[in-house]
Amino acid sequence: AAAGLARAQTMHTVSVGNYFEACNFKGEIKFAGPSSIDSTGSKYELSRQQREAAELVIEHVNKRCGITVGGENYYISFSSIDDDSNPASAGDLAAVLDRDNSYFGLWGPYSSGITGPFSAALNASNKLVLFPGASKTELITHDYMFGGLPTNEKYFAPAIEALSAVNARKFAVLKEDSAVMCDVEYVLEGSDLELVQVGEIPEGASLDAINAQLAAIRGAEPDVLLACVTGATCTEVVRAMRNLNYAPNALVMSVCPGQDSFRTDLGGDAEYILGVAPWVDTLKGGDKFLNLTIAEYIDLTVARINAKPSYQGAAAAGLMSAILETIQETNSLDRDVVAARLASTTFETVFGTLKFNSARQPDDLFVMLQYDREGNIPLVHPKKRATAELVYPMPTWLQRDCLQAGACSNNGECQSDGTCLCNEGFKAQGTFCIGNGELETQVSDSVKLVSYIFFSINIVVAVLAMGWTWVNRRTNVVLASQPVFLGMIALGAIVSSTSIIFFTWADEGDVSGLAYKGEYQPANFACRAMLVTYTSGFVLTFAPLFAKLWRVYKVMEVSKTLRRVKISVARIMGIVFGLLLVDLAIVGVWTILDPLTFYRENIAYDEFGKPTKSAGACDSENEMPYIAAIFTFHISVLVYGVWLCYKTRNISTVLSESHYVSVAMVSSLQVLTVAAPVLLLVSNEPVASMFLRSAVVFLNDFGVLLLIFVPKVWRLHKFNDLSSDKEESTNSHTLPPFRTDFSMTEFTRSRPSMTNFSQYNSQKTSNTDNDDELV
């Protein structure tokens, strides 16, 4: 304590003014008290506000020649002594100061936590003691002690009164150990309001401790959270609430709202937070003794400390003004006289109308404030003094982000989920509402038109192919290729080509901007349907060709050993559906574990931050393994199919279609292998990506349809079925005679002689168990 006193700092000492000699001061009236002078102290900002406010009042009085007592002028001196923000140091300092009879009055600490030991050390003192930061009534223990703040028992009373008027019924409290304004039960007593949860955290609590209490409070679902916290904990609580995306209908905080550092630290996150205070800088009135309006006091404070005064600063200014006015009015330095007059007089100060109650604390002065979007904190309650309307419920965090980012361009409203509900004629794009035609969406109608043309061509050709197959289903040309397989190839082309439609199906109907968060379900459905239709269509198109080639290859291989083999259509269909099952299994796992989702993002902005271009695409967190699996599977099927084509190249074209199937498979293989890296390169270019994807599907399906069906149409037209098929006779593996229903065929190493034909046909018939088998 002695060391602290030795480094006492008298702020703005009056002995150095050019008015000192002119005023002919007879002496000084001395005040001293603890303060947090080190800027790294946890209570520095709170202490600085009160210290600077007291000094401002003293300087203002001294400049007009101080206080007149007995016809003599006295200047006021004020010493602030560093207590290291330590309650024990403050208590020791009180004992030292009490023994120094040169001090007329002592200036108490800046918070109730530090005031406790200071007050206890002065229980038997006869000095006048002023507590600018004390709200606990029990700290004011004798008639010479006066508090500068209203009693904390009613601290939250105006907040509860105002919020219950707008149907808030459930309240929760988050209480820090050092906070003293949390007697909510006292205010709620006898009302129909409910206290649903109380969370306690230590002073300077860790983020984990704050998160744990907030999680419990969130579970109780209160309408209002009353946060009794101080200092840096104020900002930590707000930041934790944002990280948890927790926003009750109202957040009321003690102490911190109104302090410049609170708004500066939080920025826009301070918006809509409510604060309870006995003073706000928008109040009207002023100090009659100092002849200062509240506005003038604010200007002087800003010039002095480069910040607006907090309510704690205004309370200190009001208390110092009241004691100096009392000395002046009583014309006495007798502490008994001054204390009695101070307790019974009403003062008009920059803190408001100051009148002490029986506990020597100001009567109720509390008002409720709320930060607006401009960073101001106007008074919202009581209504008769309000300068702004209470916003209840306060916006969610997502809603605030929307308001801060674009506010829907003032052409709509930000919703609780952060999206825009736009006015008629406007469409949501993130946090903006854009008029029709204002935003370039990166996919022009001309590109979509080309995709629709691709789709239409494939559908028309596939339907014609199916119709031709049905009409000619009993001809040898169609029977040789099996109508069910031809129909399946055409159906696969239709299914695969349908994916082109889903390529063009984006978020045109998304008026709320849900696609920016991946929540526009029609576009998400299109992403997943595109995947299913393309993969299943691919298998339905190529699996029949693959299966037919495999069947011919197997029969050819067995025929070399002159053994008999039966391969039923059911077995072939099993191969087709087995391949389809593999594709659908990959797609199914992908869709369940990491589904494709349509996301839109803005990619260009004007000078005002308004988006001018956007792009949308299907995406998932870990898509590459699934794409690689599908691509590898498709390439493997095509490569194996090409190998089968090579092995069966000498079999009759009428039966195996080896030449045309080979061309179709090689063509598709080339398209996929060339298109894959190109698609990867243009994945961030919506126009090129859509065109290329549509073109790949078109070329695959259209090429297969032409290569499989056109030769058959030509053969049927030129040779009138297979009866005139002369050109096949030179193949090394030739066809045996065909039955008229062409439901089965037998391979031999050489074509039977015409003389043995009857015997051959009889044996073939006897070896046939059913018409679904190739023998």
Side-chain angles (χ1 to χ4, degrees):
L5 191 59
R7 62 177 185 267
Q9 300 186 31
T10 301
M11 304 297 178
H12 310 291
T13 175
V14 296
S15 61
V16 186
N18 56 13
Y19 50 85
F20 188 75
E21 294 183 1
C23 290
N24 193 23
F25 289 119
K26 181 181 180 180
E28 65 177 321
I29 302 173
K30 296 174 64 175
F31 291 89
S35 182
S36 178
I37 296 175
D38 184 355
S39 61
T40 63
S42 61
K43 305 290 186 181
Y44 171 74
E45 180 60 28
L46 182 61
S47 174
R48 183 179 77 125
Q49 280 276 354
Q50 297 181 16
R51 181 181 69 244
E52 294 284 356
E55 291 169 1
L56 186 153
V57 171
I58 290 171
E59 280 194 355
H60 192 77
V61 171
N62 283 338
K63 285 180 180 179
R64 64 187 195 191
C65 294
I67 299 295
T68 301
V69 178
E72 301 289 347
N73 293 334
Y74 290 82
Y75 69 86
I76 315 301
S77 68
F78 184 80
S79 295
S80 297
I81 305 168
D82 195 354
D83 63 0
D84 297 322
S85 299
N86 188 320
S89 296
D92 293 340
L93 182 59
V96 172
L97 292 174
D98 190 36
R99 290 195 295 268
D100 189 338
N101 291 324
S102 67
Y103 292 107
F104 176 80
L106 300 182
W107 190 253
Y110 34 89
S111 73
S112 293
I114 298 179
T115 299
F118 191 88
S119 173
L122 298 172
N123 275 334
S125 175
N126 62 352
K127 284 186 171 63
L128 199 65
V129 185
L130 307 175
F131 294 120
S135 59
K136 281 187 173 182
T137 303
E138 60 267 26
L139 298 177
I140 304 171
T141 58
H142 61 69
D143 291 345
Y144 293 130
M145 291 183 176
F146 291 85
L149 295 175
T151 176
N152 59 17
E153 282 84 358
K154 297 183 179 180
Y155 190 88
F156 281 114
I160 294 173
E161 178 184 348
L163 293 168
S164 62
V166 290
N167 296 320
R169 287 292 176 268
K170 297 166 67 177
F171 292 78
V173 173
L174 179 64
K175 181 190 300 185
E176 186 180 18
D177 287 347
S178 60
V180 295
M181 299 88 167
C182 295
D183 295 323
V184 178
E185 293 89 342
Y186 175 82
V187 181
L188 295 179
E189 188 176 337
S191 70
D192 62 345
L193 307 179
E194 182 181 1
L195 181 62
V196 296
Q197 183 74 22
V198 176
E200 296 185 0
I201 55 176
E203 184 175 2
S206 67
L207 185 59
D208 288 341
I210 295 173
N211 285 338
Q213 293 300 325
L214 287 175
I217 289 171
R218 184 181 201 168
E221 299 183 349
D223 298 316
V224 179
L225 172 58
L226 306 172
C228 305
V229 292
T230 61
T233 308
C234 293
T235 55
E236 291 302 314
V237 167
V238 176
R239 287 168 179 160
M241 292 178 69
R242 169 174 274 281
N243 291 337
L244 294 172
N245 194 27
Y246 173 48
N249 290 337
L251 170 61
V252 187
M253 305 196 78
S254 63
V255 182
C256 295
Q259 295 179 2
D260 279 357
S261 58
F262 180 73
R263 177 65 172 83
T264 301
D265 290 344
L266 288 177
D269 285 353
E271 293 174 10
Y272 307 103
I273 292 177
L274 292 159
V276 176
W279 181 85
V280 62
D281 60 16
T282 56
L283 290 174
K284 305 299 180 183
D287 192 304
K288 289 185 177 181
F289 174 67
L290 298 178
N291 195 25
L292 277 178
T293 65
I294 292 177
E296 290 171 335
Y297 161 68
I298 293 170
D299 290 340
L300 289 172
T301 302
V302 171
R304 187 181 185 92
I305 65 173
N306 197 31
K308 287 185 176 182
S310 64
Y311 79 80
Q312 294 95 337
L319 188 58
M320 181 57 76
S321 174
I323 186 63
L324 297 182
E325 181 180 351
T326 302
I327 295 173
Q328 176 87 46
E329 292 300 317
T330 57
N331 193 30
S332 173
L333 294 176
D334 186 309
R335 293 187 181 93
D336 291 331
V337 174
V338 172
R341 182 67 174 267
L342 186 61
S344 61
T345 304
T346 299
F347 305 91
E348 294 298 331
T349 72
V350 293
F351 190 51
T353 301
L354 194 61
K355 180 176 176 57
F356 295 97
N357 57 27
S358 58
R360 293 175 300 285
Q361 286 180 277
D363 275 333
D364 299 340
L365 293 173
F366 291 115
V367 295
M368 188 166 71
L369 323 168
Q370 186 173 42
Y371 280 102
D372 61 20
R373 293 187 57 200
E374 286 70 43
N376 302 315
I377 184 166
L379 190 152
V380 295
H381 185 81
K383 282 190 174 183
K384 63 181 179 181
R385 301 168 63 188
T387 57
E389 290 290 329
L390 169 67
V391 178
Y392 180 91
M394 69 177 184
T396 65
W397 292 112
L398 293 175
Q399 200 169 6
R400 278 184 249 188
D401 290 342
C402 172
L403 290 168
Q404 293 168 9
C408 303
S409 310
N410 295 321
N411 294 315
E413 295 182 358
C414 291
Q415 303 298 291
S416 60
D417 61 357
T419 60
C420 287
L421 179 62
C422 297
N423 299 334
E424 187 175 354
F426 294 86
K427 179 180 178 180
Q429 296 292 335
T431 56
F432 294 87
C433 287
I434 308 298
N436 294 332
E438 286 187 61
L439 182 69
E440 183 181 340
T441 60
Q442 291 294 288
V443 178
S444 64
D445 292 337
S446 59
V447 177
K448 291 184 179 180
L449 179 60
V450 172
S451 298
Y452 294 147
I453 292 174
F454 286 162
F455 168 75
S456 301
I457 291 173
N458 277 358
I459 295 300
V460 169
V461 173
V463 170
L464 289 175
M466 293 180 74
W468 179 86
T469 301
W470 173 258
V471 171
N472 297 285
R473 65 189 182 279
R474 299 190 183 280
T475 64
N476 288 333
V477 168
V478 175
L479 288 171
S481 297
Q482 300 244 317
V484 64
F485 289 139
L486 291 178
M488 192 176 296
I489 292 170
L491 176 62
I494 292 174
V495 174
S496 178
S497 296
T498 303
S499 63
I500 296 176
I501 296 298
F502 294 119
F503 293 159
T504 66
W505 195 357
D507 57 339
E508 288 83 358
D510 180 17
V511 296
S512 299
L514 295 175
Y516 282 84
K517 301 185 297 180
E519 297 177 1
Y520 187 59
Q521 296 309 320
N524 293 342
F525 170 78
C527 289
R528 296 154 198 172
M530 166 193 70
L531 186 63
V532 173
T533 52
Y534 172 73
T535 54
S536 58
F538 177 89
V539 173
L540 289 174
T541 301
F542 287 95
L545 301 178
F546 173 88
K548 287 174 61 180
L549 289 171
W550 178 84
R551 180 180 66 171
V552 172
Y553 171 71
K554 283 296 183 183
V555 172
M556 184 188 73
E557 289 296 301
V558 172
S559 69
K560 294 178 181 178
T561 63
L562 299 178
R563 290 186 296 108
R564 181 174 178 272
V565 62
K566 293 183 179 180
I567 302 176
S568 66
V569 172
R571 184 176 178 185
I572 302 302
M573 294 298 290
I575 295 175
V576 173
F577 286 109
L579 294 174
L580 180 62
L581 184 62
V582 172
D583 241 3
L584 292 179
I586 299 173
V587 172
V589 172
W590 186 357
T591 302
I592 292 172
L593 299 182
D594 189 19
L596 279 174
T597 303
F598 185 88
Y599 289 98
R600 178 168 291 281
E601 62 178 345
N602 296 321
I603 59 176
Y605 302 84
D606 62 17
E607 64 272 24
F608 304 107
K610 185 177 180 180
T612 57
K613 291 183 180 180
S614 69
C618 298
D619 193 17
S620 63
E621 291 185 8
N622 193 28
E623 61 188 15
M624 290 311 298
Y626 302 104
I627 294 176
I630 292 173
F631 180 77
T632 302
F633 176 62
H634 286 187
I635 292 294
S636 299
V637 170
L638 289 174
V639 169
Y640 187 55
V642 170
W643 181 80
L644 289 175
C645 288
Y646 172 79
K647 299 297 290 184
T648 60
R649 65 190 182 280
N650 293 322
I651 298 296
S652 170
T653 302
V654 176
L655 182 64
S656 70
E657 306 159 291
S658 175
H659 174 68
Y660 298 112
V661 172
S662 296
V663 174
M665 287 198 166
V666 170
S667 173
S668 296
L669 185 61
Q670 287 178 330
V671 170
L672 285 180
T673 53
V674 172
V678 178
L679 278 170
L680 189 62
L681 291 174
V682 301
S683 59
N684 293 325
E685 298 293 334
V687 175
S689 179
M690 176 181 289
F691 174 80
L692 188 58
R693 283 180 292 158
S694 300
V696 167
V697 174
F698 169 74
L699 291 174
N700 260 343
D701 296 336
F702 187 70
V704 170
L705 290 172
L706 290 185
L707 288 167
I708 297 302
F709 285 95
V710 169
K712 300 184 187 309
V713 174
W714 175 80
R715 182 182 299 280
L716 184 62
H717 173 73
K718 184 174 181 180
F719 296 107
N720 190 23
D721 209 351
L722 293 175
S723 57
S724 302
D725 190 13
K726 310 292 186 188
E727 75 279 8
E728 300 297 339
S729 61
T730 59
N731 290 343
S732 61
H733 289 83
T734 56
L735 288 173
F738 292 98
R739 284 173 38 181
T740 56
D741 65 354
F742 220 86
S743 60
M744 60 184 177
T745 309
E746 179 181 294
F747 286 92
T748 61
R749 292 294 295 166
S750 62
R751 189 167 181 170
S753 65
M754 294 302 295
T755 57
N756 295 328
F757 181 78
S758 297
Q759 180 182 358
Y760 169 86
N761 197 45
S762 174
Q763 179 185 3
K764 173 175 70 69
T765 303
S766 66
N767 287 338
T768 302
D769 295 327
N770 61 69
D771 286 348
D772 288 336
E773 294 178 336
L774 181 65
V775 182

